[in-house]
Amino acid sequence: MSISAAQVKQLRDMTGAGMMDCKAALAETNGDIEAAVDWLRKKGISKADKKAGRTAAEGLIGVASEGTSAVVVEVNSETDFVARNDAFQDIVRNVAQVALATDGSVDAVAAATYSGSQKSVSDTIKDAIGTIGENMSLRRSAKLSVSNGAVATYVHNAVVENLGKMGVLVAVETTGDADAARAFGRQVAMHVAATNPLALTAEEVDAGAVAREKDIFAAQARESGKPENIIEKMVEGRMRKFYEEVVLLKQAFVLNPDMTVEQALKAAEKDIGAEAKISGFVRFALGEGIEKEESDFAAEVAAAAKG
């Protein structure tokens, strides 16, 4: 099959591998991007399979909290110029506040009544498109709540208070001091912003992702020529390391790498004054998962893709 320049570009963005290696991987996997990522990793060419692709979406992430609940929303715009507009920032801030009174689902937030108006959030955003002159949309939202404790919020590189390019929520369940729980939760939220864990616990990691990693590790181990019983032990060791890298509670705590997040939580119970549990987290990075087209790069790789 014919491999396009756009496919080569996408795989290169995802893996950091060379153009010709990307082309070869796509040829071997009939253009399947995910399979090509695995092919490169099995060959030891790519180690950056989790690298986020470049994104086209601009806009802002907004957070809001009240009592034992907090929300995070993403409202997209076409340009960063509009994202720096006071009117747009007011919209994102108000949408986050409105989201607090919903279950946090994007449909519920979109249908909710916008603050100081009789219109829905969805209709208010549509009206703003005409006023501001640029397409905008409520892309996603999420809400975390606890029975007792706190839900901490963190915005990385905030443009203004509670608005920025990345927002994180961390829920800490405890019957102890809520302010101390929130303070520790904010530290964990900063950690989540930096490390982007896949799941809270090993059991919550997607089964498909686990199977995929095992397959890749086994293929890498077989390259060494060792017997299957040794390969099995090698894979077990690599999977333990995998969980330490992607599971929040098992990760080395960014603020104190000598302990895991789980150990840091245990230490924080002294200030909180009771047992505590991280019951959930949400991390929104602006535009993640939306691919960006770059025609200048397509022209650069066209020759390689045709060869």
Side-chain angles (χ1 to χ4, degrees), residues 9-10 17 24 49 61 63 75 86 179 229 246 275 286-287 290:
K9 174 223 176 296
Q10 183 180 353
D49 63 301
I61 304 292
V63 302
V75 182
D86 288 343
D179 289 338
N229 64 321
V246 304
E275 290 186 356
L286 183 66
I290 302 175

Side-chain angles (χ1 to χ4, degrees), residues 131-149:
T131 304
I132 296 175
E134 187 169 301
N135 191 32
M136 292 177 285
S137 65
L138 171 63
R139 183 181 176 216
R140 54 182 175 161
S141 64
K143 182 180 183 179
L144 290 181
S145 299
V146 294
S147 298
N148 295 289

Side-chain angles (χ1 to χ4, degrees), residues 9-69:
K9 174 223 176 296
Q10 183 180 353
L11 186 58
R12 185 183 179 189
D13 281 347
M14 291 174 69
T15 65
M19 284 187 286
M20 296 311 295
D21 286 329
C22 289
K23 184 191 170 191
L26 288 163
E28 287 289 331
T29 57
N30 295 317
D32 185 319
I33 292 290
E34 288 299 318
V37 169
D38 290 350
W39 188 89
L40 287 168
R41 291 187 66 205
K42 288 175 181 178
K43 296 294 182 182
I45 297 170
S46 167
K47 295 181 181 178
D49 63 301
K50 299 180 189 70
K51 181 180 177 182
R54 294 175 184 172
T55 57
E58 295 293 347
L60 287 170
I61 304 292
V63 302
S65 62
E66 185 175 48
T68 54
S69 296

Side-chain angles (χ1 to χ4, degrees), residues 2-3 5 23 301-307:
S2 175
I3 305 301
K23 184 191 170 191
V301 301
K306 290 177 182 175

